[in-house]
Amino acid sequence: MQKRNVKSGALSLAALPLAFAGLFNTASAQDAAPPAMTAEEKAVGKKIYFERCAGCHGVLRKGATGKNLEPSWTKKDKDGKETSGGMLKLGTARLEKIIALGTEGGMVNYDDILTKEEINVMARYIQNVPDVPPEFSLKDMQDSWKLIVPVDQRPKKQMSKINLKNIFATTLRDTGKLALIDGDTKQIWEILDTGYAVHISRLSASGRYVYTVGRDGLVTLIDLWFEKPTTVATVKLGSDARSVDTSKFKGYEDKYLVGGTYWPPQYSVMEGDTLKPLKIVSTRGMTVDGEYHPEPRVASIVSSHIKPEWVINVKETGMILLVDYSDINNLKTTTINSAKFLHDGGWDITKRYFLVAANASHKVAAVDTKTGKLAALVDTKKIPHPGRGANFFHPKYGPVWATGHLGDAVVSLISTPSAKPEHAKFKQYNWKVVEELKMPGAGNLFVKTHPKSHHLWADMPMNPERENAEVNYVFDLRDLSKPPVKIDVAKDSGLPVTKALRRAVHQEYSQDGTEVWISLWGGKTDQSAIVVYDDKTLKVKKVITDPKMITPTGKFNVYNTMKDIY
Ligand code: DHE
């Protein structure tokens, strides 16, 4: 995650260019020897780096959302000089300060998470040459694959009476578990083990299977047709992963799963109902600037509804891959140049265009999946972070897709094309930021609406101020000139105030679009909750809390995720 020390309003990114300028830098002969470390300290550093730092800085420390942390920048010169080519060389004392307190450039403060000793270990660890984790081959995947319940031993029909379409697959981040919550009764149906720091869930096209991916690369396949949700297969994709999606095109429903890894930089194709590994494709190669990158990580993946195709977004190269899965042995791929540091994104209202944030480039790239071409590169405010974004009809500009920003206090509305003759008058606005809705601060992660709603919800969990991090703002889509309504999720939860911030994060609508579920993401030892709101009245309907409800973050409603409704 990017930041907890972001200031309200615009975020200074003064420090970020350093990371990118240093992207291809190698250590100079002038550099001093790295600080000494015992084997035990190295092991601690390696573990903390993977768990806390690699997501933003990269395994090889070449930088992306976070700065370049190669020894050539982190270590002082032999002669003690602190600068090289205008770049600051850091050294232990300065690095300790940065790790403890964070920076204006977006670095999180760790003084409340790591001990003084751990901070010192990390300051020394990142002056040493990065540890390169092993590669992960098809054989490694096959060896990790566990088919727990073969297809012929699974139910032939749904065994429970539960309304499966309104189940919420809920990430319990720090426990490595997934809670399946019945959206009708608001009762926890089952809690299952998944991967480490479990990240997202996606649904099979039929809605029967839930796929959950952990940051350790473990994919868990859960069958909802049993009396109780049951894990039927698991497989490892690599050592660090963030994304999966299924095959959603007609005729391929539930047939394939694709998973992307941060390490090794590659994507893998598996059988949809067993997770049997079929193929791995590396994403190493050239950036849009024509430079080789050894660690182009796979960020968001989405499955097309109009073609047997996945949209695979490669972070560091800025390449968007359209992968045709109709013939896995003779894979056809269209490679589209966009902008570096691709991250998360979603469909426009027609599901023809996929819009993805090139977050550290402060742009949104739009791909036309019908023509297989880049439709637009839209300049936005700092660090767009849409989640999957939100689609609605703007009274003045027609169909728009919304994204919030980690680095600025606005929600940007981008006009998207429509083939409807009555929308021809909106064509002039297409691919422009037509409006920026004001938020009280930066640090937004997710926005959400629903076709049946006239509300747009926006969170700010990465804002450092309690009054911002613990709330959501709701805009009225019928009149965007009205100030948004503040929803105090922490207060509405009725839980006692805790020392640590409880971030109000990620909104998800119920199947019928009448309720909005928001996670109140507390500390690992604090009681967390999901607060359910009536979307019409904006009043609390239910607080779902339980001693097992630890660090809930993302929630994925079966129907809305299956159909990509947002
Ligand atoms: Fe996420 C989506 C990567 C930290 C909650 N996150 C995504 C996607 C990517 C990504 C690439 C898009 C997946 C897709 O659509 O296929 N996330 C990363 C990181 O690299 C990062 C910044 C740092 C890290 O080390 O992992 C990161 N993410 C977080 C969190 O700390 C969050 C807030 C809490 C958590 O559970 O870990 C978090 N990310 C989410 C959620 C989604 C997501 C809830 C899916 C949003 C949706 O509505 O689809």
Short mmCIF file of all heavy atoms in Angstrom, two decimals, residues 108-147:
data_model
loop_
_atom_site.label_atom_id
_atom_site.label_comp_id
_atom_site.label_asym_id
_atom_site.label_seq_id
_atom_site.Cartn_x
_atom_site.Cartn_y
_atom_site.Cartn_z
N VAL A 108 5.23 5.27 3.22
CA VAL A 108 4.49 5.06 4.47
C VAL A 108 5.42 5.18 5.68
O VAL A 108 6.57 4.81 5.60
CB VAL A 108 3.90 3.63 4.42
CG1 VAL A 108 3.32 3.23 5.75
CG2 VAL A 108 2.89 3.51 3.30
N ASN A 109 4.92 5.69 6.83
CA ASN A 109 5.72 5.68 8.06
C ASN A 109 5.56 4.32 8.74
O ASN A 109 4.46 3.79 8.86
CB ASN A 109 5.27 6.78 9.01
CG ASN A 109 3.82 6.65 9.40
OD1 ASN A 109 2.96 6.64 8.54
ND2 ASN A 109 3.55 6.56 10.69
N TYR A 110 6.70 3.76 9.16
CA TYR A 110 6.67 2.42 9.76
C TYR A 110 6.97 2.42 11.25
O TYR A 110 7.14 1.36 11.85
CB TYR A 110 7.64 1.49 9.02
CG TYR A 110 7.03 0.96 7.75
CD1 TYR A 110 7.34 1.50 6.52
CD2 TYR A 110 6.11 -0.09 7.79
CE1 TYR A 110 6.75 1.03 5.36
CE2 TYR A 110 5.51 -0.57 6.65
CZ TYR A 110 5.84 -0.01 5.44
OH TYR A 110 5.25 -0.48 4.29
N ASP A 111 7.05 3.61 11.88
CA ASP A 111 7.44 3.63 13.29
C ASP A 111 6.40 3.00 14.21
O ASP A 111 6.71 2.65 15.35
CB ASP A 111 7.79 5.06 13.75
CG ASP A 111 6.69 6.06 13.46
OD1 ASP A 111 5.71 5.69 12.78
OD2 ASP A 111 6.81 7.21 13.89
N ASP A 112 5.16 2.85 13.71
CA ASP A 112 4.15 2.21 14.55
C ASP A 112 3.97 0.72 14.19
O ASP A 112 3.14 0.03 14.75
CB ASP A 112 2.80 2.94 14.42
CG ASP A 112 2.29 3.01 12.99
OD1 ASP A 112 3.07 2.72 12.07
OD2 ASP A 112 1.12 3.34 12.78
N ILE A 113 4.76 0.24 13.22
CA ILE A 113 4.63 -1.16 12.79
C ILE A 113 5.91 -1.94 13.09
O ILE A 113 5.87 -3.06 13.56
CB ILE A 113 4.31 -1.22 11.27
CG1 ILE A 113 2.91 -0.64 11.02
CG2 ILE A 113 4.38 -2.64 10.74
CD1 ILE A 113 2.53 -0.55 9.57
N LEU A 114 7.06 -1.31 12.81
CA LEU A 114 8.34 -1.98 13.02
C LEU A 114 9.00 -1.45 14.29
O LEU A 114 8.84 -0.27 14.64
CB LEU A 114 9.26 -1.73 11.82
CG LEU A 114 8.76 -2.19 10.45
CD1 LEU A 114 9.77 -1.82 9.36
CD2 LEU A 114 8.49 -3.69 10.42
N THR A 115 9.81 -2.31 14.95
CA THR A 115 10.57 -1.85 16.12
C THR A 115 11.77 -1.04 15.63
O THR A 115 12.13 -1.10 14.45
CB THR A 115 11.09 -3.05 16.94
OG1 THR A 115 11.99 -3.79 16.10
CG2 THR A 115 9.96 -3.95 17.41
N LYS A 116 12.41 -0.35 16.57
CA LYS A 116 13.62 0.44 16.24
C LYS A 116 14.69 -0.47 15.64
O LYS A 116 15.37 -0.11 14.69
CB LYS A 116 14.18 1.09 17.51
CG LYS A 116 13.68 2.49 17.70
CD LYS A 116 14.52 3.19 18.74
CE LYS A 116 14.13 4.66 18.69
NZ LYS A 116 14.16 5.31 19.92
N GLU A 117 14.81 -1.67 16.22
CA GLU A 117 15.82 -2.63 15.75
C GLU A 117 15.49 -3.06 14.32
O GLU A 117 16.37 -3.15 13.46
CB GLU A 117 15.89 -3.87 16.66
CG GLU A 117 16.43 -3.62 18.05
CD GLU A 117 15.48 -2.81 18.95
OE1 GLU A 117 14.24 -2.95 18.78
OE2 GLU A 117 15.97 -2.03 19.77
N GLU A 118 14.21 -3.32 14.06
CA GLU A 118 13.81 -3.76 12.71
C GLU A 118 14.04 -2.64 11.70
O GLU A 118 14.47 -2.88 10.56
CB GLU A 118 12.33 -4.18 12.70
CG GLU A 118 12.09 -5.53 13.37
CD GLU A 118 10.61 -5.85 13.54
OE1 GLU A 118 9.79 -4.92 13.70
OE2 GLU A 118 10.27 -7.05 13.54
N ILE A 119 13.79 -1.40 12.12
CA ILE A 119 14.02 -0.27 11.22
C ILE A 119 15.51 -0.17 10.89
O ILE A 119 15.89 0.04 9.73
CB ILE A 119 13.46 1.04 11.83
CG1 ILE A 119 11.92 0.98 11.82
CG2 ILE A 119 13.96 2.27 11.08
CD1 ILE A 119 11.23 2.11 12.52
N ASN A 120 16.34 -0.39 11.89
CA ASN A 120 17.79 -0.35 11.65
C ASN A 120 18.20 -1.49 10.70
O ASN A 120 18.99 -1.29 9.76
CB ASN A 120 18.54 -0.45 12.98
CG ASN A 120 20.03 -0.62 12.77
OD1 ASN A 120 20.54 -1.73 12.73
ND2 ASN A 120 20.72 0.50 12.59
N VAL A 121 17.63 -2.68 10.90
CA VAL A 121 17.93 -3.82 10.02
C VAL A 121 17.53 -3.47 8.58
O VAL A 121 18.30 -3.68 7.63
CB VAL A 121 17.19 -5.09 10.50
CG1 VAL A 121 17.19 -6.16 9.42
CG2 VAL A 121 17.84 -5.64 11.76
N MET A 122 16.33 -2.88 8.41
CA MET A 122 15.86 -2.56 7.06
C MET A 122 16.74 -1.50 6.40
O MET A 122 17.03 -1.57 5.21
CB MET A 122 14.40 -2.07 7.10
CG MET A 122 13.39 -3.13 7.46
SD MET A 122 13.68 -4.70 6.65
CE MET A 122 13.33 -4.31 4.95
N ALA A 123 17.18 -0.50 7.20
CA ALA A 123 18.03 0.56 6.65
C ALA A 123 19.33 -0.04 6.12
O ALA A 123 19.86 0.39 5.09
CB ALA A 123 18.31 1.61 7.71
N ARG A 124 19.84 -1.07 6.81
CA ARG A 124 21.08 -1.69 6.34
C ARG A 124 20.80 -2.68 5.21
O ARG A 124 21.54 -2.77 4.25
CB ARG A 124 21.79 -2.38 7.52
CG ARG A 124 22.44 -1.35 8.45
CD ARG A 124 23.18 -2.00 9.59
NE ARG A 124 22.31 -2.60 10.57
CZ ARG A 124 22.48 -3.82 11.09
NH1 ARG A 124 23.49 -4.55 10.71
NH2 ARG A 124 21.65 -4.30 11.99
N TYR A 125 19.68 -3.40 5.35
CA TYR A 125 19.35 -4.43 4.34
C TYR A 125 19.26 -3.82 2.93
O TYR A 125 19.78 -4.38 1.98
CB TYR A 125 18.02 -5.10 4.72
CG TYR A 125 17.57 -6.16 3.75
CD1 TYR A 125 18.17 -7.42 3.74
CD2 TYR A 125 16.56 -5.91 2.83
CE1 TYR A 125 17.78 -8.39 2.85
CE2 TYR A 125 16.16 -6.88 1.93
CZ TYR A 125 16.78 -8.12 1.93
OH TYR A 125 16.39 -9.08 1.05
N ILE A 126 18.61 -2.66 2.83
CA ILE A 126 18.42 -2.10 1.48
C ILE A 126 19.67 -1.40 0.93
O ILE A 126 19.65 -0.89 -0.19
CB ILE A 126 17.18 -1.19 1.38
CG1 ILE A 126 17.24 -0.05 2.38
CG2 ILE A 126 15.90 -2.00 1.54
CD1 ILE A 126 16.09 0.95 2.23
N GLN A 127 20.76 -1.41 1.70
CA GLN A 127 22.03 -0.95 1.12
C GLN A 127 22.82 -2.13 0.57
O GLN A 127 23.84 -1.95 -0.07
CB GLN A 127 22.86 -0.22 2.19
CG GLN A 127 22.18 1.08 2.65
CD GLN A 127 22.95 1.73 3.76
OE1 GLN A 127 24.06 2.22 3.54
NE2 GLN A 127 22.40 1.73 4.96
N ASN A 128 22.33 -3.32 0.84
CA ASN A 128 22.96 -4.52 0.29
C ASN A 128 22.30 -4.88 -1.04
O ASN A 128 21.17 -4.45 -1.33
CB ASN A 128 22.80 -5.69 1.28
CG ASN A 128 23.81 -5.59 2.42
OD1 ASN A 128 24.91 -6.13 2.32
ND2 ASN A 128 23.48 -4.86 3.48
N VAL A 129 22.98 -5.67 -1.82
CA VAL A 129 22.46 -6.09 -3.13
C VAL A 129 21.15 -6.86 -2.92
O VAL A 129 21.06 -7.69 -2.01
CB VAL A 129 23.51 -6.99 -3.84
CG1 VAL A 129 22.95 -7.57 -5.13
CG2 VAL A 129 24.77 -6.19 -4.10
N PRO A 130 20.10 -6.55 -3.73
CA PRO A 130 18.80 -7.21 -3.53
C PRO A 130 18.89 -8.74 -3.63
O PRO A 130 19.64 -9.26 -4.46
CB PRO A 130 17.93 -6.67 -4.67
CG PRO A 130 18.61 -5.45 -5.14
CD PRO A 130 20.06 -5.59 -4.83
N ASP A 131 18.13 -9.41 -2.77
CA ASP A 131 17.99 -10.86 -2.90
C ASP A 131 17.10 -11.14 -4.09
O ASP A 131 16.03 -10.53 -4.22
CB ASP A 131 17.30 -11.43 -1.65
CG ASP A 131 18.25 -11.49 -0.47
OD1 ASP A 131 19.31 -12.10 -0.62
OD2 ASP A 131 17.91 -10.91 0.59
N VAL A 132 17.52 -12.01 -4.97
CA VAL A 132 16.68 -12.35 -6.13
C VAL A 132 16.01 -13.69 -5.85
O VAL A 132 16.68 -14.71 -5.73
CB VAL A 132 17.53 -12.44 -7.43
CG1 VAL A 132 16.63 -12.76 -8.61
CG2 VAL A 132 18.27 -11.14 -7.65
N PRO A 133 14.68 -13.67 -5.71
CA PRO A 133 14.00 -14.93 -5.42
C PRO A 133 14.11 -15.88 -6.61
O PRO A 133 14.35 -15.45 -7.74
CB PRO A 133 12.54 -14.53 -5.20
CG PRO A 133 12.51 -13.05 -5.25
CD PRO A 133 13.75 -12.56 -5.88
N PRO A 134 13.90 -17.18 -6.38
CA PRO A 134 14.00 -18.12 -7.50
C PRO A 134 12.89 -17.92 -8.53
O PRO A 134 11.85 -17.35 -8.22
CB PRO A 134 13.85 -19.49 -6.81
CG PRO A 134 13.34 -19.22 -5.45
CD PRO A 134 13.61 -17.80 -5.11
N GLU A 135 13.15 -18.39 -9.73
CA GLU A 135 12.11 -18.41 -10.78
C GLU A 135 11.06 -19.45 -10.38
O GLU A 135 11.25 -20.22 -9.44
CB GLU A 135 12.75 -18.77 -12.12
CG GLU A 135 13.79 -17.78 -12.58
CD GLU A 135 13.19 -16.40 -12.89
OE1 GLU A 135 12.13 -16.34 -13.54
OE2 GLU A 135 13.78 -15.40 -12.47
N PHE A 136 9.95 -19.48 -11.10
CA PHE A 136 8.89 -20.45 -10.79
C PHE A 136 8.39 -21.02 -12.12
O PHE A 136 7.79 -20.33 -12.93
CB PHE A 136 7.75 -19.74 -10.04
CG PHE A 136 6.94 -20.66 -9.16
CD1 PHE A 136 7.44 -21.11 -7.95
CD2 PHE A 136 5.68 -21.07 -9.55
CE1 PHE A 136 6.69 -21.95 -7.12
CE2 PHE A 136 4.92 -21.92 -8.74
CZ PHE A 136 5.43 -22.35 -7.53
N SER A 137 8.68 -22.31 -12.33
CA SER A 137 8.41 -22.93 -13.63
C SER A 137 7.05 -23.62 -13.63
O SER A 137 6.39 -23.73 -12.59
CB SER A 137 9.49 -23.97 -13.91
OG SER A 137 9.35 -25.02 -12.96
N LEU A 138 6.69 -24.14 -14.80
CA LEU A 138 5.44 -24.91 -14.92
C LEU A 138 5.51 -26.14 -14.00
O LEU A 138 4.54 -26.50 -13.35
CB LEU A 138 5.22 -25.33 -16.37
CG LEU A 138 3.85 -25.92 -16.69
CD1 LEU A 138 2.73 -24.92 -16.44
CD2 LEU A 138 3.78 -26.41 -18.14
N LYS A 139 6.70 -26.71 -13.91
CA LYS A 139 6.87 -27.88 -13.04
C LYS A 139 6.66 -27.48 -11.57
O LYS A 139 6.02 -28.21 -10.80
CB LYS A 139 8.26 -28.51 -13.24
CG LYS A 139 8.54 -29.59 -12.24
CD LYS A 139 9.44 -30.67 -12.73
CE LYS A 139 9.53 -31.86 -11.78
NZ LYS A 139 9.45 -31.58 -10.37
N ASP A 140 7.19 -26.31 -11.19
CA ASP A 140 6.97 -25.83 -9.81
C ASP A 140 5.48 -25.67 -9.55
O ASP A 140 4.98 -26.01 -8.47
CB ASP A 140 7.68 -24.49 -9.56
CG ASP A 140 9.19 -24.62 -9.63
OD1 ASP A 140 9.70 -25.66 -9.19
OD2 ASP A 140 9.85 -23.69 -10.13
N MET A 141 4.78 -25.12 -10.55
CA MET A 141 3.32 -24.96 -10.39
C MET A 141 2.67 -26.32 -10.23
O MET A 141 1.84 -26.53 -9.34
CB MET A 141 2.71 -24.28 -11.63
CG MET A 141 2.65 -22.79 -11.56
SD MET A 141 1.74 -22.13 -12.96
CE MET A 141 0.06 -22.14 -12.37
N GLN A 142 3.06 -27.25 -11.12
CA GLN A 142 2.46 -28.59 -11.08
C GLN A 142 2.72 -29.26 -9.72
O GLN A 142 1.83 -29.87 -9.14
CB GLN A 142 3.01 -29.46 -12.21
CG GLN A 142 2.34 -29.12 -13.54
CD GLN A 142 3.19 -29.52 -14.75
OE1 GLN A 142 4.36 -29.89 -14.62
NE2 GLN A 142 2.59 -29.40 -15.93
N ASP A 143 3.94 -29.08 -9.20
CA ASP A 143 4.28 -29.69 -7.91
C ASP A 143 3.46 -29.08 -6.76
O ASP A 143 3.21 -29.74 -5.75
CB ASP A 143 5.77 -29.52 -7.60
CG ASP A 143 6.63 -30.36 -8.55
OD1 ASP A 143 6.07 -31.24 -9.24
OD2 ASP A 143 7.86 -30.13 -8.61
N SER A 144 3.09 -27.81 -6.93
CA SER A 144 2.35 -27.13 -5.85
C SER A 144 0.84 -27.41 -5.93
O SER A 144 0.10 -27.14 -4.99
CB SER A 144 2.56 -25.61 -5.94
OG SER A 144 1.79 -25.07 -7.00
N TRP A 145 0.40 -27.92 -7.07
CA TRP A 145 -1.04 -28.07 -7.35
C TRP A 145 -1.68 -29.15 -6.48
O TRP A 145 -1.18 -30.27 -6.42
CB TRP A 145 -1.21 -28.41 -8.84
CG TRP A 145 -2.61 -28.68 -9.27
CD1 TRP A 145 -3.73 -27.96 -8.97
CD2 TRP A 145 -3.05 -29.76 -10.10
NE1 TRP A 145 -4.83 -28.50 -9.56
CE2 TRP A 145 -4.44 -29.61 -10.26
CE3 TRP A 145 -2.41 -30.83 -10.73
CZ2 TRP A 145 -5.21 -30.51 -11.03
CZ3 TRP A 145 -3.17 -31.71 -11.49
CH2 TRP A 145 -4.55 -31.55 -11.64
N LYS A 146 -2.77 -28.78 -5.80
CA LYS A 146 -3.50 -29.76 -4.98
C LYS A 146 -4.95 -29.81 -5.44
O LYS A 146 -5.70 -28.83 -5.25
CB LYS A 146 -3.46 -29.36 -3.51
CG LYS A 146 -2.09 -29.45 -2.88
CD LYS A 146 -2.17 -29.34 -1.36
CE LYS A 146 -0.77 -29.34 -0.79
NZ LYS A 146 -0.34 -28.07 -0.29
N LEU A 147 -5.32 -30.92 -6.03
CA LEU A 147 -6.72 -31.11 -6.41
C LEU A 147 -7.40 -31.83 -5.24
O LEU A 147 -7.26 -33.04 -5.09
CB LEU A 147 -6.82 -31.93 -7.71
CG LEU A 147 -8.23 -32.16 -8.23
CD1 LEU A 147 -8.96 -30.84 -8.50
CD2 LEU A 147 -8.20 -32.99 -9.52
#
